[in-house]
Amino acid sequence: AQSVTQPDIHITVSEGASLELRCNYSYGATPYLFWYVQSPGQGLQLLLKYFSGDTLVQGIKGFEAEFKRSQSSFNLRKPSVHWSDAAEYFCAVGALTGGGNKLTFGTGTQLKVEL
Amino acid sequence: ETGVTQTPRHLVMGMTNKKSLKCEQHLGHNAMYWYKQSAKKPLELMFVYSLEERVENNSVPSRFSPECPNSSHLFLHLHTLQPEDSALYLCASSQGAQGLGNTIYFGEGSWLTVV
């Protein structure tokens, strides 16, 4: 069965600083990987996804993530954080189940941005 | 606006009440999901429907009863819930028939409080 680990529960960065959120996965086949963001009181919004091809994927809001098979990682990065990026970030690995896509999520990383 | 609409956004119910959560997707998808999000826990997949058939039930107690009358609508019927069932319930949809190459889109969630 697949699993996802997000080792950092909370991260605080200054506005304008760079950001890296860590994600490690466990999956027996080629992984399908996702990053979602959840603002307070809201649902989850997809930031980016990796299925195949280029291991550096670009997403919305200036985010990118790099798939490293050797490290079983899919870390999320942003070169310059904005105050509006404060939210909770979830990494997920996808598997196909009975005609639907099943996502297994990590426990999330809460990002705080200091002005 | 993600194309997945959930109502009500907030619900308070007693342990003996019967209530329902409603989800509607306007994306033409054929798979729909219920997830549960509790504090400090990963998102938990509850049910998966594909082409209006339930294809997965992740050991969810019978006090939660899903219903998918058509590919655009999904309900979660609630009966004799417990206080520990208080959580954010997220509905999602995807084009499941095309496999993992498709994104799962989430609604904004229904906050449920059981008193």
Side-chain angles (χ1 to χ4, degrees):
Chain A
Q2 64 269 27
S3 66
V4 176
T5 301
Q6 293 181 248
D8 303 306
I9 299 175
H10 299 278
I11 282 186
T12 300
V13 299
S14 300
E15 190 175 35
S18 63
L19 171 70
E20 183 169 32
L21 302 181
R22 295 184 290 166
C23 172
N24 293 98
Y25 67 89
S26 173
Y27 186 54
T30 300
Y32 296 82
L33 297 161
F34 305 79
W35 275 100
Y36 283 84
V37 61
Q38 186 178 33
S39 298
Q42 301 296 314
L44 278 70
Q45 181 183 22
L46 180 71
L47 283 177
L48 48 78
K49 59 187 177 183
Y50 170 78
F51 292 148
S52 64
D54 192 347
T55 56
L56 183 65
V57 293
Q58 303 297 319
I60 62 171
K61 305 184 180 186
F63 285 91
E64 66 178 25
E66 185 171 13
F67 169 59
K68 293 186 178 180
R69 184 185 298 274
S70 62
Q71 299 178 17
S72 298
S73 70
F74 188 57
N75 294 347
L76 182 71
R77 301 194 295 248
K78 186 170 184 178
S80 177
V81 170
H82 188 264
W83 64 267
S84 61
D85 293 324
E88 190 155 22
Y89 292 80
F90 294 92
C91 181
V93 61
L96 185 61
T97 172
N101 300 341
K102 175 180 178 178
L103 291 184
T104 298
F105 287 85
T107 50
T109 297
Q110 186 71 47
L111 173 65
K112 180 180 177 182
V113 179
E114 291 182 331
L115 300 177
Chain B
E1 177 61 46
T2 64
V4 180
T5 304
Q6 291 187 240
T7 55
R9 292 297 313 279
H10 299 270
L11 177 63
V12 179
M13 61 184 289
M15 289 189 285
T16 59
N17 290 160
K18 289 184 181 181
K19 297 286 185 183
S20 296
L21 305 181
K22 179 183 176 182
C23 177
E24 183 175 1
Q25 60 97 358
H26 309 275
L27 301 169
H29 291 163
N30 58 17
M32 296 188 76
Y33 313 78
W34 281 114
Y35 281 84
K36 177 183 179 182
Q37 186 177 26
S38 305
K40 303 187 190 312
K41 293 177 68 176
L43 274 76
E44 303 170 57
L45 178 64
M46 301 175 72
F47 302 104
V48 180
Y49 276 81
S50 178
L51 299 172
E52 300 152 42
E53 295 289 328
R54 190 190 312 179
V55 296
E56 188 154 342
N57 176 344
N58 273 358
S59 303
V60 179
S62 59
R63 58 186 184 269
F64 295 91
S65 175
E67 178 189 2
C68 188
N70 55 63
S71 59
S72 299
H73 293 86
L74 184 65
F75 294 88
L76 188 62
H77 303 300
L78 315 169
H79 177 48
T80 59
L81 295 191
Q82 304 299 312
E84 59 265 29
D85 297 322
S86 299
L88 178 66
Y89 289 84
L90 291 163
C91 175
S93 70
S94 71
Q95 192 60 19
Q98 295 182 16
L100 291 166
N102 298 284
T103 300
I104 294 182
Y105 292 86
F106 286 85
E108 294 187 330
S110 293
W111 285 98
L112 174 65
T113 302
V114 181
V115 297

